[in-house]
Amino acid sequence: MTTQLRGVLAPVLTPFKPSLEPDSERFVAHCRWLLENSAALAIFGTNSEAASISVPERIALTDALLEAGIPASKLMPGTGACSLVDAVALTRHAVANSAAGVLMLPPFFFKGVSDDGLFAYYSEVIERVGDERLAVYLYHIPQMSYAPITLGLIERLLKRYPTVVAGAKDSSGDWNNSKAMIETFAGGGFDVFPASEAFLSKALPIGGAGCISATVNMNPSGIHALYQAWNGPDGQSLQARADTIRKIFQAVPMIPAMKQVVSVFSTAPSWRIVRPPLTGLSDDAANGVLHQLQAAGFEMPGYPAC
């Protein structure tokens, strides 16, 4: 297993050109800014629009980061796919390039699949990759995948692959589920990342590893400060500040809202582009988000204009 990632990770937004091709230059610039503000990079997560990005495009964007000097030790690429073959290809590429781990969504088209089916899927990927450096983080997002990562499934996978199955991201939004994951498995080195900074002050005291949150794209330094000082004299105010920013974005479709805001701070209108089937925010909704953020004193200090 490679170096473990803990702390604050961003499911990195993916910029597109007007042609709808990925914009690798802006992708690299955004990743650099996140690293400079103490966030690691969960590239190709839900908020990256990963399900709309092909295998060759994901590999090319990963290569662009590595060629630009972004440390592989800060990368947790999303490699899950409905196709077992695609998942293996993406995972092999990540491991071959020394990524710290891979975040693996379960196959999400067929509904009502059993733990046996999901165990077979993860087992097949792990066996086919066949590399001792592989660290798999299971991605629990049942409201989107309809294929939940149950405690029983985690137990089975850990029993079979104790040095490979490294943790989970819990995007269910259910604190009780995150709490059960942490309390059941974290003591054995299984790292659990809730998908919202709103849970940091609850998760960290009981062994949570940090968070992998959409709004790390917007507020990396603030969320990292909370991760570091949750139990200090400023912990409550840091949590409240992070929650305020989070609530503004989650009140509207988050991906187009975040891209709209990045377009303002980068002075790059193309940052607003989302790939179909997603659509951008209306002017009224975009102005509302920007007004609320301004009232909250929100900034993206040092964001590269391009």
Side-chain angles (χ1 to χ4, degrees), residues 185-242:
F185 301 112
F190 183 87
D191 287 339
V192 178
F193 296 86
S196 172
E197 61 273 26
F199 296 138
L200 271 179
S201 294
K202 294 179 179 179
L204 293 173
I206 62 171
C211 68
I212 304 173
S213 169
T215 35
V216 174
N217 279 286
M218 316 309 300
N219 185 29
S221 58
I223 298 171
H224 177 72
L226 171 60
Y227 171 76
Q228 285 195 310
W230 61 272
N231 58 348
D234 297 326
Q236 286 188 335
S237 62
L238 289 168
Q239 183 71 71
R241 169 71 176 164

Side-chain angles (χ1 to χ4, degrees), residues 44 58 77-83 86-87 90-91 103-108 121:
F44 315 131
R58 293 198 215 184
T79 65
C82 286
S83 162
D86 288 351
L90 289 166
T91 304
L103 182 60
M104 196 172 293
L105 190 72
F108 51 83
Y121 169 86

Side-chain angles (χ1 to χ4, degrees), residues 28 31-32 35 41 64-75:
V28 169
C31 288
R32 278 202 177 115
L35 288 173
L41 309 172
L65 292 180
L66 296 170
E67 289 165 8
I70 299 296
S73 62
K74 296 293 186 180
L75 297 180

Side-chain angles (χ1 to χ4, degrees), residues 138-213:
L138 308 169
Y139 190 177
H140 177 61
I141 183 167
Q143 67 273 32
M144 300 289 283
S145 69
Y146 289 85
I149 306 298
T150 65
L151 299 184
L153 176 61
I154 295 170
E155 184 176 13
R156 287 177 65 183
L157 287 167
L158 281 172
K159 185 176 180 179
R160 180 74 172 272
Y161 304 105
T163 64
V164 174
V165 178
K169 177 187 179 185
D170 183 4
S171 289
S172 67
D174 179 355
W175 164 243
N176 287 329
N177 189 75
S178 297
K179 182 173 182 284
M181 277 190 183
I182 295 167
E183 291 182 338
T184 305
F185 301 112
F190 183 87
D191 287 339
V192 178
F193 296 86
S196 172
E197 61 273 26
F199 296 138
L200 271 179
S201 294
K202 294 179 179 179
L204 293 173
I206 62 171
C211 68
I212 304 173
S213 169

